[in-house]
Amino acid sequence: MKNAVFITYYKGWYEKRLRPIAEILLKSGYKITIITSDYEKRPKKPVFRTYKECMYIKVPYYNKNFSLTRIWSHLYFGKCVNRFIKKNKPDFIYALLPPNNYAKYCLKYKEKNQKVIYFIDIFDLWPESMPLGILNRTPPAWIWSKMRNDSIKAADHVFLECELYKEKLRNVLKEREVSILHLFKEQTCEEKKLIHSYIKRQKEEQKDNLVRIAYLGSINNIIDIDGICRVIKTISIQKKVYIYIIGGGEGKAFFLSALSEIDCEVFDYGEIYDEIEKIKILLVCDYGFNMMKQGVSVGLSMKSIDYFSYGLPIINNIKGDTWRLVNIYGVGVNIDAEFKELPAINHEKVYECFQMFFTQKAYEKKAKIIMDNLIR
C-alpha cells in the first residue's frame, strides 16, 4: 500500500480544502496521514476538534499575526515535517501553502526521490498578500517567496485557489499546467432552511430609506478601512446607514474609531462562531463589505464566499476573480472612482451563484475530475 502525506500548518484548511482530496486518494488505495499543527488561527487557541487521520504537532502559539513568535511557530512546524518525511518516506506529498518554509523540505525530499508524486496547493500568496510596501522587496520577503517558487518548479502539479494567483506567478509557472480549485463552504440542512426563509422575506419586504451593511471576519492590517468609510459617506448622503460588525482583530479599535467619525450607526456583535447566530444577524443586511487595501494579492477571499453563502451581495474592491464574478453574475457592486450609489440586488441570485461554484458538492466534483486524471 502506498503512503500519502498531506501537510498543512492550519488545521482549519484540512477541513475546508484538503479533506475531500484526501478521501479521493484513500479510495484509490493510499494510506493517508495528515500533518497539521495543534493551533487554531481563528480563534487563536489549541484545536478543539480532532480527526483520527491527523497527526497534530504541538507548536509555539502566537497572539499577533505580525510577530517573531508566529515566525518561530512556522519554522518549528517545518522542521517537524522534515523529520516526518525523512523517517516515513511517503510515496505522495500534498503540501498546502503558506507557510512556505516546509516547501523547501518537500523539495529536498523530491530531489532525492524522483518517483515521489509531489503536489503543491497555494491558497494564499505570502508575502504578496500582505501590505508590506517596500518590505516586500527586502531579503526576508524574497527568501520566503523563493522557498515556494523553487518548490513549484519541482512539483508534479500545482493547485491554485484563484485565477489571480496564476497571473501573479506566471513567471514561475511558465507553461506548467495548473488547476484552479476555489474554496468551498459546508452548510447544514438547518442553515440552508433558515437562509431560504430570510431570502424569501427580503424579497417580500418593502425597501425603506435605510441601508444595512455587514462587515464579517477578521479586522486586520489588510482591510481597507479608509475605503469602507468613503463608501459609507457616499451612501449616507442619500440614505441612513447601519453597519453590522461580526469579528475582531488588531485593527478593530481603529475601525470603530473611524466609523464613529462618520454618519452611520454601528452594531458591534463581536466574534461569533455559531453559524445560526451569524445567519440571523447577517440576513437582515442588504450588503457585505469585501474591501482590502490596494496591493494585497487576493483574488477571492473566504469572506466573499461567506457572504455568498448567506445570499448577501458584496461591496467589493478586490480585483481578479471576485471583480469578474461581480461583473458576470451580478452578485454585488465593484467600487471604483465612479461609485455613487448601491443598486438593488436580488439575494436569491447571489445564493444561486454560491450553490453553483462554492458548495462542498461543487468542490468535490471538480477535485475528483482533476485527481482522477492526475493519479490514474
Side-chain angles (χ1 to χ4, degrees), residues 24 116 161:
I24 292 168
V116 170
E161 185 268 322

Side-chain angles (χ1 to χ4, degrees), residues 42-200:
R42 294 188 186 93
K44 290 180 168 61
K45 64 180 184 180
V47 295
F48 63 91
R49 182 181 176 189
T50 60
Y51 297 92
K52 63 180 181 181
E53 65 271 28
C54 290
M55 185 182 85
Y56 295 93
I57 294 173
K58 186 172 179 57
V59 297
Y61 300 159
Y62 61 88
N63 294 316
K64 294 182 179 179
N65 286 332
F66 282 92
S67 65
L68 291 174
T69 310
R70 185 181 191 183
I71 294 171
W72 166 236
S73 185
H74 292 171
L75 293 176
Y76 179 84
F77 180 78
K79 290 183 181 296
C80 293
V81 167
N82 186 37
R83 285 196 295 270
F84 179 89
I85 58 179
K86 278 184 174 180
K87 180 180 178 181
N88 292 275
K89 297 179 172 49
D91 305 291
F92 179 101
I93 296 176
Y94 192 112
L96 184 65
L97 309 180
N100 299 342
N101 62 300
Y102 50 76
K104 70 178 181 181
Y105 300 119
C106 297
L107 172 60
K108 287 179 182 177
Y109 182 78
K110 170 68 175 177
E111 288 173 341
K112 292 179 181 178
N113 303 273
Q114 289 294 315
K115 291 184 179 180
V116 170
I117 300 172
Y118 179 32
F119 288 0
I120 288 178
D121 190 341
I122 300 170
F123 75 91
D124 200 355
L125 290 185
W126 282 8
E128 296 89 343
S129 66
M130 295 182 278
L132 300 177
I134 196 170
L135 293 177
N136 260 331
R137 296 189 291 275
T138 59
W142 178 78
I143 291 168
W144 201 249
S145 59
K146 187 175 186 297
M147 287 188 286
R148 175 198 64 212
N149 295 346
D150 287 348
S151 212
I152 284 174
K153 294 171 186 176
D156 294 291
H157 196 74
V158 179
F159 291 86
L160 302 173
E161 185 268 322
C162 61
E163 292 284 351
L164 179 70
Y165 295 170
K166 190 175 179 180
E167 297 169 20
K168 293 286 184 179
L169 295 171
R170 62 182 179 276
N171 292 333
V172 180
L173 294 166
K174 295 183 179 178
E175 300 302 316
R176 174 181 292 279
E177 183 182 346
V178 301
S179 298
I180 308 299
L181 267 181
H182 294 308
L183 302 174
F184 72 88
K185 183 175 178 181
E186 297 178 77
Q187 287 185 321
T188 65
C189 292
E190 184 184 4
E191 289 162 12
K192 291 176 186 176
K193 186 176 179 181
L194 189 57
I195 288 165
H196 280 296
S197 69
Y198 268 80
I199 288 174
K200 185 179 179 182

Side-chain angles (χ1 to χ4, degrees), residues 30-44:
Y30 280 83
K31 178 186 175 184
I32 304 294
T33 303
I34 317 296
I35 304 177
T36 187
S37 78
D38 69 336
Y39 181 69
E40 295 276 11
K41 188 178 180 183
R42 294 188 186 93
K44 290 180 168 61

Side-chain angles (χ1 to χ4, degrees), residues 169-340:
L169 295 171
R170 62 182 179 276
N171 292 333
V172 180
L173 294 166
K174 295 183 179 178
E175 300 302 316
R176 174 181 292 279
E177 183 182 346
V178 301
S179 298
I180 308 299
L181 267 181
H182 294 308
L183 302 174
F184 72 88
K185 183 175 178 181
E186 297 178 77
Q187 287 185 321
T188 65
C189 292
E190 184 184 4
E191 289 162 12
K192 291 176 186 176
K193 186 176 179 181
L194 189 57
I195 288 165
H196 280 296
S197 69
Y198 268 80
I199 288 174
K200 185 179 179 182
R201 196 182 309 169
Q202 277 272 4
K203 201 173 180 180
E204 294 170 350
E205 277 183 356
Q206 290 278 40
K207 296 296 178 182
D208 49 24
N209 199 38
L210 172 66
V211 176
R212 302 171 181 87
I213 309 174
Y215 179 87
L216 172 67
S218 180
I219 305 168
N220 51 33
N221 66 312
I222 67 174
I223 302 305
D224 185 6
I225 293 174
D226 292 339
I228 288 173
C229 290
R230 283 195 297 272
V231 169
I232 294 171
K233 285 178 183 178
T234 300
I235 299 169
S236 64
I237 295 171
Q238 300 176 349
K239 295 186 176 184
K240 179 69 177 174
V241 180
Y242 284 1
I243 305 297
Y244 294 71
I245 299 174
I246 298 177
E250 58 265 35
K252 186 165 184 177
F254 177 75
F255 188 30
L256 292 175
S257 176
L259 291 175
S260 70
E261 296 177 6
I262 58 179
D263 186 16
C264 66
E265 190 165 344
V266 177
F267 300 87
D268 179 14
Y269 294 91
E271 297 183 63
I272 297 175
Y273 298 97
D274 182 89
E275 278 295 306
I276 298 298
E277 281 188 62
K278 282 197 281 190
I279 290 168
K280 290 177 179 178
I281 295 167
L282 292 172
L283 285 186
V284 304
C285 296
D286 304 295
Y287 277 89
F289 276 119
N290 188 57
M291 298 180 65
M292 294 184 180
K293 291 177 181 176
Q294 296 303 307
V296 175
S297 294
V298 173
L300 184 68
S301 66
M302 191 66 217
K303 187 195 309 292
S304 61
I305 295 174
D306 280 334
Y307 288 138
F308 296 153
S309 76
Y310 307 125
L312 195 60
I314 58 174
I315 299 173
N316 174 67
N317 73 343
I318 295 175
K319 306 299 183 184
D321 301 58
T322 313
W323 194 273
R324 288 192 291 270
L325 202 64
V326 168
N327 281 341
I328 295 170
Y329 294 97
V331 291
V333 57
N334 287 325
I335 300 299
D336 54 25
E338 304 296 318
F339 171 73
K340 289 185 172 56

